[in-house]
Amino acid sequence: PLNKYWPNQFPRTPKCSFWKHEWEKHGRCATEVRETGSEHLYFNKTLSLRMKYNIDEILSSAGIKPGETYQLQDIKSALKQKLGSKPIILCGNVKKVHWISAMVICMDRKFQLFDCPEKRIAERAYFNTPLPPHDRCRAEVFYPMK
């Protein structure tokens, strides 16, 4: 399931290096919560939450399809309407095209959704560092295919 729903997007790296990074950067903090208390539980819960909050389906139901360019606000609005909370959307920049590199849904320790804070301080709280300029999205973004 990880290959299908949470694949390594870095072609020149070992297959498991991305998951190793995710566990070391995010999963180890999750060991304080029973449902994510081990590496196996962490990835199982992550996949379960991915299915429950299927961003691709949410955006598709709002007419937002991969492979097209959209207003960032339209994407945020579609997610907020369906989820009831605001996500954080990160972007990359390749040849002057700003594309979505990640969409983050914020949850508490009981896996209840809440609005992701938009201020720079929130970036430090969730990502342990300020986001570099290339992670900030412009008003118009490309929603890439998988």
Side-chain angles (χ1 to χ4, degrees):
L2 284 176
N3 283 322
K4 182 175 182 180
Y5 297 110
W6 201 1
N8 182 352
Q9 298 291 322
F10 304 100
R12 293 190 171 99
T13 63
K15 183 178 178 181
C16 293
S17 64
F18 174 68
W19 301 316
K20 180 180 181 200
H21 161 79
E22 291 300 304
W23 170 249
E24 290 174 353
K25 178 84 173 170
H26 309 290
R28 289 199 176 158
C29 293
T31 59
E32 298 172 12
V33 177
R34 184 179 52 82
E35 293 91 339
T36 55
S38 70
E39 194 170 346
H40 178 75
L41 291 171
Y42 170 74
F43 285 108
N44 276 346
K45 184 66 172 180
T46 301
L47 289 172
S48 166
L49 292 167
R50 192 235 184 255
M51 299 303 182
K52 181 176 181 179
Y53 303 110
N54 190 320
I55 289 176
D56 295 326
E57 287 180 8
I58 291 169
L59 293 177
S60 180
S61 70
I64 298 171
K65 311 280 187 212
E68 301 290 331
T69 299
Y70 296 94
Q71 292 298 309
L72 178 62
Q73 190 55 50
D74 292 343
I75 293 171
K76 286 182 175 183
S77 294
L79 292 170
K80 169 77 175 175
Q81 180 180 9
K82 186 71 173 180
L83 297 171
S85 63
K86 293 189 293 187
I88 292 175
I89 298 178
L90 305 177
C91 293
N93 183 2
V94 177
K95 297 181 182 177
K96 298 185 181 184
V97 174
H98 284 263
W99 55 277
I100 297 170
S101 60
M103 292 185 242
V104 179
I105 300 170
C106 295
M107 298 178 191
D108 62 22
R109 290 175 179 254
K110 294 182 180 178
F111 306 102
Q112 299 300 308
L113 301 182
F114 64 88
D115 286 347
C116 296
E118 292 183 22
K119 297 182 180 177
R120 300 284 297 152
I121 292 172
E123 294 171 4
R124 292 174 199 256
Y126 290 98
F127 300 104
N128 298 321
T129 182
L131 294 176
H134 66 273
D135 281 340
R136 292 189 210 107
C137 299
R138 296 214 171 143
E140 191 171 82
V141 295
F142 181 74
Y143 178 28
M145 308 279 282
K146 290 185 180 179

